[in-house]
Amino acid sequence: MDHINSLALLVSVYIASLVSPGPNFIIVTKTSMSVSRVAGLFAGLGLAVASLTWAVMAMAGLGFLLTHFEWLHMMLQVAGALYLIWLGLKMIRNASKPLKPTGPSEVSWRSAMRRAYVVSMTNPKSVAFFGSIFALVIPAHAPVWLYCLIALTCFLLSALWYCGLAFFFSNPRVSAGFLRFKAGTERVMGVALSLIGDRL
């Protein structure tokens, strides 16, 4: 029963972090609207794989490493901040450009998935959450099956949420609305990413 309670607490904390807007939200919605539904779905899967990676690292002692090696924490924050600022500035610069038809050779499922994965792995929010709150909630000396269940749960919840966002924002009506306000929307998204990075 204690293990079930621990899992329930961890899931509730993870869901609260998952649904809060951030770089992950921006990358999957922009990919879904400006590229295609398929690209958005693979971006969602890339974020889910990143969540699985973060969960495994947290259970392997990420919180301990970040606490005892301040330079590592700082290095991750700086790398994440610079990457987010670069992405944000790129979105702002390209905001006024019309969308070009994209084919498999230009935006493959691998590139969409890889880009989303990199965004999540360099996301300061992920570092902070999995390196502190998540690591603290994980029960110590739990059986292996519980750790496997935690990792699988993180992957499935992330996949459901982000792939659901991809389905919604790739809807023709939503996409049409995005195209009407493309420049403004992408500038707002770009500024948001840059500000998140700048705060670090």
Side-chain angles (χ1 to χ4, degrees), residues 58-103:
M59 289 184 287
L62 175 66
F64 176 84
L65 288 176
L66 295 183
T67 301
H68 290 77
F69 296 94
E70 184 63 29
W71 63 268
L72 177 60
H73 188 217
M74 181 64 68
M75 186 176 68
L76 288 173
Q77 279 194 319
V78 170
L82 291 176
Y83 185 71
L84 292 179
I85 292 172
W86 176 79
L87 274 183
L89 293 177
K90 185 178 179 182
M91 289 179 68
I92 294 170
R93 187 178 68 247
N94 296 330
S96 58
K97 296 180 180 179
L99 288 177
K100 298 177 181 179
T102 54

